[in-house]
Amino acid sequence: MNGESSSLPARARIHAALGDPARLAIVDALTLGDASPGEIGHDLGMPTNLVAHHLKVLQDAGLLVRTRSEGDRRRTYLRLLPDVLATLTPPPLRDADRVVFVCTHNSARSQLAAALWRDRVGGQVASAGTKPAARVHPRAVKVAHRHGLQLDPTGTARVADVVHDGDLVIAVCDNAHEDLTGQVRPALHWSVPDPVRVDTDDAFETAYTDLADRIDRIAPIVHQATGGTDRCPARHAGSAVKSTPQRPFSPVLAAQTGVLLSCPHPPSGAACSPSPSAPRCS
């Protein structure tokens, strides 16, 4: 914890530096290439004195460096330091052998979460319930199938039979989080509304999207601990990749969320898509 705490002031300075729209615009401008202060001012329509102020704040936060031109030595260029942006991600969670998603009945949310994790992150993952139902809910199977995931309709299990020492337990419902106060305690709690209460396709789709978004945010800091497999489909020969337009890559958003919004290894004619139904780089 001491190491994590000592990094907080530095991370706070970076967040403060990026908290101004003008400075964020400068960082975005330097994402794709280097530029001189004059070029930054021209491109963004900023007066010289304002550019100088913002560049000093960004440089003091360690976000950029100045280099002297090898041509006209009177000129300097600004270069973004993406490694510093990467420090904005939360510190990794404790080492875990496996991720286990739990809810009450193990019939919807925990099943979908485990299937999503298996598809997007890889590594060891399981699901369980505090009071497991006899079967997975048909609408959960349906929404999973719609997004290219497979659920075993009879594959429900009890928490006591699944969770072992060394597992990272994530409760995806309030009841499981509140009930598991004994030897098995969730390390994380995601308050995902129970779609079974509403029992509509839209409710299950909403739960799926909520879980997918949360997994995208947490996967990078758990991936290091669990040793999840590389899921970039472009690195796997013969993988079916959905051809979809790429979003522009933003290192600021990637660092803050820990998710690459554009696959850096797209095969010809295809791209990793940030949509919930497509394969992802992790």
Side-chain angles (χ1 to χ4, degrees), residues 85-106:
L85 289 173
T87 65
L88 297 180
T89 57
L93 293 170
R94 63 170 179 80
D95 289 347
D97 299 327
R98 184 178 60 162
V99 176
V100 179
F101 293 98
V102 300
C103 64
T104 304
H105 299 302
N106 191 214

Side-chain angles (χ1 to χ4, degrees), residues 40-121:
I40 289 291
H42 178 269
D43 292 344
L44 299 180
M46 291 185 193
T48 303
N49 61 335
L50 192 57
V51 170
H53 165 70
H54 289 313
L55 292 180
K56 183 179 186 304
V57 174
L58 292 171
Q59 190 167 4
D60 289 346
L63 285 164
L64 56 83
V65 294
R66 298 172 185 259
T67 59
R68 185 70 61 179
S69 169
E70 292 183 349
D72 185 346
R73 301 293 292 176
R74 295 170 298 178
R75 295 174 65 91
T76 61
Y77 290 104
L78 307 164
R79 178 164 58 90
L80 194 65
L81 298 177
D83 288 347
V84 178
L85 289 173
T87 65
L88 297 180
T89 57
L93 293 170
R94 63 170 179 80
D95 289 347
D97 299 327
R98 184 178 60 162
V99 176
V100 179
F101 293 98
V102 300
C103 64
T104 304
H105 299 302
N106 191 214
S107 64
R109 290 165 291 182
S110 56
Q111 293 277 353
L112 290 169
L116 274 161
W117 188 276
R118 188 177 298 110
D119 179 67
R120 297 190 176 194
V121 183

Side-chain angles (χ1 to χ4, degrees), residues 269-282:
C272 277
S273 168
S275 67
S277 60
R280 298 294 302 265
C281 269
S282 57

Side-chain angles (χ1 to χ4, degrees), residues 24-252:
L24 189 58
I26 293 173
V27 170
D28 284 345
L30 294 174
T31 295
L32 300 178
D34 305 339
S36 68
E39 291 168 337
I40 289 291
H42 178 269
D43 292 344
L44 299 180
M46 291 185 193
T48 303
N49 61 335
L50 192 57
V51 170
H53 165 70
H54 289 313
L55 292 180
K56 183 179 186 304
V57 174
L58 292 171
Q59 190 167 4
D60 289 346
L63 285 164
L64 56 83
V65 294
R66 298 172 185 259
T67 59
R68 185 70 61 179
S69 169
E70 292 183 349
D72 185 346
R73 301 293 292 176
R74 295 170 298 178
R75 295 174 65 91
T76 61
Y77 290 104
L78 307 164
R79 178 164 58 90
L80 194 65
L81 298 177
D83 288 347
V84 178
L85 289 173
T87 65
L88 297 180
T89 57
L93 293 170
R94 63 170 179 80
D95 289 347
D97 299 327
R98 184 178 60 162
V99 176
V100 179
F101 293 98
V102 300
C103 64
T104 304
H105 299 302
N106 191 214
S107 64
R109 290 165 291 182
S110 56
Q111 293 277 353
L112 290 169
L116 274 161
W117 188 276
R118 188 177 298 110
D119 179 67
R120 297 190 176 194
V121 183
Q124 297 295 313
V125 63
S127 70
T130 55
K131 302 173 184 177
R135 297 178 63 85
V136 176
H137 196 286
R139 292 190 192 274
V141 176
K142 181 179 178 181
V143 73
H145 184 264
R146 185 160 59 243
H147 291 281
L149 305 177
Q150 299 296 322
L151 297 184
D152 179 1
T154 62
T156 60
R158 189 176 301 276
V159 167
D161 298 330
V162 173
V163 176
H164 305 300
D165 292 341
D167 288 339
L168 174 66
V169 179
I170 301 177
V172 292
C173 83
D174 298 338
N175 287 333
H177 171 67
E178 295 162 8
D179 290 344
L180 292 172
T181 58
Q183 185 175 359
V184 175
R185 295 194 179 190
L188 297 173
H189 170 218
W190 297 350
S191 185
V192 180
D194 185 1
V196 177
R197 291 176 180 268
V198 182
D199 201 15
T200 64
D201 287 347
D202 286 345
F204 278 80
E205 185 68 34
T206 298
Y208 173 92
T209 301
D210 190 352
L211 291 165
D213 290 343
R214 291 173 183 269
I215 285 173
D216 282 344
R217 292 198 299 270
I218 193 179
I221 62 173
V222 180
H223 179 80
Q224 301 169 17
T226 60
T229 56
D230 181 359
R231 303 299 290 180
C232 175
R235 296 196 187 100
H236 299 277
S239 295
V241 181
K242 181 175 291 187
S243 181
T244 55
Q246 284 182 282
R247 293 184 187 178
F249 174 68
S250 169
V252 178

